[in-house]
Amino acid sequence: MHPAEAGKPLIKFNHCKKYIYSFSVPQCCPLCQQVMGSRKLEEAPVSISNPFTNGHQEQCSFLLRPTQGTFLREYDGRSDLHVGITNTNGVVYNYTAHGVRRDEAGWEQSVSIPLVQPGMFGLMGQWDKYLEEFSASGAWLPQRYEEDHHNCYSYTLTFINCVLTAEGKGQLDKREFTEKYVVPRTRKASEYITLYRAVEGRGFYVTDRPEEATDPPEGGGVC
Ligand SMILES: [Zn+2]
């Protein structure tokens, strides 16, 4: 990934009974101005996990990114989002007013949701064929595109449901998919964006209380 797309890594350290976030450990604490020389374990910086991944390095995943620009630079919480699905080579299939696109670039800073459980080699082996056949269907011609009802989201969700059916599993409706898989990740992304921009603006950001690990477990696929 291009460094500008990835953003700078964020770290967090303890000082003055606060959590201080920054891009690197400063020589002096920005709150008390004391030299940060101490090697106390509890003051050791930890890195903050970045919620964005290079979608072109993800296999069989649902991806989400701003329609225009990137999350870290342009996203304002209300910007339009665009979604797609990767094949096993990181090509992102996505439906637009111009029909189904097969992007080999442009999804370098995405929120990614894996669709296939680890070890499902049978499904992975068929994935590219399924995705290509599905995309060739007349339902996804450019003239069928409708911004509100027959869009990138319908395309991805219909595909996911086709796979679920082929695997003998129940369907997911849009609300269920959004609440269960999308919202937890976009929430985490929004928090990260807020933090990132605060650090970018002032050089550091301070919080009172520890952020406990309340993230939902990751790694499970949808299908
Ligand atoms: Zn301090």
Side-chain angles (χ1 to χ4, degrees):
M1 194 189 313
H2 190 276
E5 292 294 337
K8 286 172 273 188
L10 273 175
I11 57 155
K12 174 177 85 171
F13 56 91
N14 276 307
H15 215 263
C16 301
K17 297 190 170 128
K18 306 271 189 195
Y19 277 97
I20 304 172
Y21 297 83
S22 68
F23 291 128
S24 60
V25 182
Q27 283 199 317
C28 301
C29 168
L31 302 177
C32 67
Q33 312 304 330
Q34 277 181 23
V35 176
M36 299 277 300
S38 81
R39 290 283 176 267
K40 278 188 273 177
L41 193 59
E42 68 269 22
E43 290 179 7
V46 294
S47 56
I48 304 298
S49 73
N50 183 329
F52 305 115
T53 51
N54 181 350
H56 300 291
Q57 290 173 0
E58 300 292 317
Q59 294 188 314
C60 313
S61 294
F62 172 94
L63 301 182
L64 188 86
R65 67 159 170 81
T67 307
Q68 301 291 332
T70 67
F71 277 114
L72 283 175
R73 278 200 303 266
E74 286 92 0
Y75 184 65
D76 70 0
R78 296 183 309 274
S79 319
D80 278 343
L81 293 171
H82 189 45
V83 300
I85 290 184
T86 61
N87 72 4
T88 61
N89 293 311
V91 176
V92 186
Y93 284 58
N94 59 103
Y95 182 51
T96 73
H98 305 289
V100 176
R101 297 170 49 108
R102 294 161 180 79
D103 294 340
E104 295 185 32
W107 297 75
E108 287 79 4
Q109 192 187 98
S110 298
V111 168
S112 168
I113 300 170
L115 294 173
V116 176
Q117 307 271 4
M120 302 263 301
F121 301 112
L123 178 55
M124 276 190 73
Q126 297 294 314
W127 190 265
D128 292 355
K129 188 168 78 79
Y130 282 165
L131 191 54
E132 193 54 53
E133 284 173 5
F134 174 78
S135 303
S137 141
W140 312 112
L141 288 170
Q143 58 269 32
R144 296 286 308 277
Y145 186 84
E146 277 180 70
E147 193 164 343
D148 294 329
H149 305 291
H150 195 73
N151 52 24
C152 60
Y153 218 95
S154 348
Y155 167 81
T156 55
L157 196 60
T158 308
F159 179 71
I160 291 168
N161 277 322
C162 285
V163 172
L164 287 169
T165 303
E167 296 287 306
K169 296 181 184 162
Q171 307 261 304
L172 280 171
D173 67 26
K174 183 177 174 176
R175 192 182 53 80
E176 192 182 0
F177 178 72
T178 305
E179 282 174 10
K180 194 167 170 190
Y181 297 101
V182 179
V183 170
R185 286 170 172 89
T186 51
R187 190 178 291 140
K188 209 164 125 186
S190 293
E191 288 165 4
Y192 186 86
I193 292 167
T194 304
L195 183 61
Y196 189 92
R197 288 181 185 163
V199 171
E200 205 169 37
R202 280 171 282 171
F204 65 93
Y205 180 75
V206 182
T207 59
D208 277 331
R209 57 178 184 82
E211 302 226 338
E212 299 297 343
T214 53
D215 301 333
E218 283 190 37
V222 176
C223 301

